[in-house]
Amino acid sequence: MLRILATDGIDKSARDELESMGHEVTEQYFEPEELKKALADYDVVVVRSATKVKAPIIDAAADAGRLKMIIRAGVGVDNIDVDYAEAKGIKVRNTPNSSSASVAELALAHMFSLARFVGISNVTMREGKWNKKNYTGVELSGKTLGLVGFGRISIELAKKATALGMKVLYTNRRGPREDFPEYGYSTLEELLRLSDFVSIHTPSLEGGKALIGMNELKLMKNTAYIINCARGGIVDEEALLQALESGDLAGAGIDVFVEEPTKNLALINHPRVSSTPHIGGSTAEAQERIGGEIVEIIKTSF
């Protein structure tokens, strides 16, 4: 019997299955200092993006000697010091296959929201304004979508964008992919210059460095839009706000922020920003699939 702690919740069907296997599942969030103590009593901890498992927490868990595995209920593991945990004898796993479609759909939703003023018109109509003449948008069909990073989420988004009549370009640190000849490969600089919409799908850079800063934003068309449903800090928030204020960029869709909950009110309240509170994987279907992957990881690991 394993004691499993889910600090950011777990799908009910996964919890029921784990308990039917004889395991004990606790759903409770702990602040970092409390988490250090709590992990002494658990074999497995399941986290989402809200819980950070860094060196001090890993040290405490390793010293206690019980924790065997950290599972990230999602794709990215940059909220976990993976190498450090593995070096301490604590395995780290994630669920890379479960939320790709959900994140891709949210990126697409932000594209529609920006292109047709869905977000801001909803706000102004609630204020009693009828700004019809201000909201002449653009169609996605015929536009070029540039994908920065070309993993599972980007591939899902590319398929959906192609169905809408968009041309898809991508750049990828490993170079062009022979298994997707239907999409065009380019350098980051070329992609930024050519794309009408740019969607970011890469892990965080070392040290929290921005991949897209002022220099990169200046390469983009002033009619272009940028979407970040990847990680906070990949796009420099200050540079992005400046580009929006100066008119160098038409708009931005943002699901992830440097600090969460974000205090960057100037950015999220900008009329050309579509913002959501890190909900890329927050669909019932994705959470059920994630739960299934967690169960499978535990079944095959213990």
Side-chain angles (χ1 to χ4, degrees):
M1 187 271 284
L2 300 173
R3 295 199 74 213
I4 302 165
L5 173 64
T7 62
D8 305 315
I10 190 171
D11 184 74
K12 184 179 183 300
S13 61
R15 177 175 183 149
D16 290 347
E17 186 168 356
L18 288 168
E19 289 179 340
S20 73
M21 293 162 58
H23 303 311
E24 179 184 330
V25 181
T26 301
E27 294 183 69
Q28 185 175 347
Y29 177 78
F30 290 95
E31 294 294 340
E33 288 302 315
E34 296 172 327
L35 185 59
K36 287 182 185 180
K37 300 173 185 175
L39 290 181
D41 297 323
Y42 292 93
D43 303 285
V44 178
V45 61
V46 180
V47 304
R48 293 182 65 188
S49 57
T51 299
K52 308 295 187 284
V53 189
K54 299 299 184 178
I57 291 172
I58 293 167
D59 282 337
D63 289 344
R66 180 162 185 174
L67 189 70
K68 302 174 183 67
M69 180 176 288
I70 304 165
I71 301 176
R72 166 70 165 94
V75 179
V77 291
D78 44 316
N79 57 322
I80 304 168
D81 280 341
V82 178
D83 292 341
Y84 194 78
E86 296 273 5
K88 292 279 185 174
I90 300 170
K91 297 177 182 178
V92 179
R93 299 289 184 269
N94 67 339
T95 59
N97 303 308
S98 299
S99 58
S100 299
S102 297
V103 178
E105 287 190 6
L106 182 64
L108 192 59
H110 278 297
M111 290 163 61
F112 275 117
S113 178
L114 293 163
R116 298 305 306 272
F117 298 96
V118 175
I120 188 61
S121 64
N122 185 277
V123 172
T124 55
M125 285 190 71
R126 289 169 186 262
E127 295 171 345
K129 300 173 184 177
W130 188 263
N131 293 341
K132 180 176 179 177
K133 293 182 179 179
N134 296 341
Y135 300 145
T136 301
V138 296
E139 297 176 359
L140 299 192
S141 179
K143 301 299 187 296
T144 297
L145 169 63
L147 298 169
V148 181
F150 203 62
R152 293 177 179 87
I153 296 169
S154 280
I155 291 166
E156 286 285 341
L157 182 52
K159 293 174 182 176
K160 299 175 193 306
T162 301
L164 291 168
M166 301 185 81
K167 177 184 177 181
V168 176
L169 297 175
Y170 73 94
T171 190
N172 190 36
R173 63 184 177 180
R174 296 190 177 115
R177 292 187 54 162
E178 294 181 0
D179 48 342
F180 291 99
E182 63 270 38
Y183 306 126
Y185 176 81
S186 69
T187 64
L188 175 61
E189 292 75 14
E190 183 183 26
L191 180 146
L192 293 173
R193 289 191 183 98
L194 295 176
S195 299
D196 300 296
F197 292 83
V198 172
S199 192
I200 314 296
H201 300 284
T202 65
S204 295
L205 300 186
E206 189 174 349
K209 183 181 177 183
L211 176 65
I212 306 296
M214 184 59 73
N215 291 337
E216 289 75 24
L217 291 170
K218 284 185 178 296
L219 295 174
M220 296 177 65
K221 304 174 185 178
N222 61 10
T223 55
Y225 304 86
I226 192 165
I227 313 295
N228 185 14
C229 293
R231 285 290 178 265
I234 287 287
V235 179
D236 185 300
E237 291 184 3
E238 183 178 348
L240 177 58
L241 184 57
Q242 289 180 26
L244 292 167
E245 291 285 359
S246 65
D248 289 336
L249 198 64
I254 315 168
D255 185 52
V256 289
F257 300 86
V258 172
E259 182 181 7
E260 296 184 355
T262 183
K263 296 186 177 72
N264 195 341
L265 300 183
L267 183 60
I268 62 173
N269 287 320
H270 196 283
R272 293 199 298 278
V273 167
S274 172
S275 59
T276 46
H278 203 153
I279 58 171
S282 297
T283 63
E285 295 86 349
Q287 291 309 304
E288 185 173 352
R289 290 192 296 267
I290 287 169
E293 276 201 72
I294 291 168
V295 171
E296 191 60 28
I297 289 168
I298 291 172
K299 275 183 179 179
T300 57
S301 300
F302 296 95

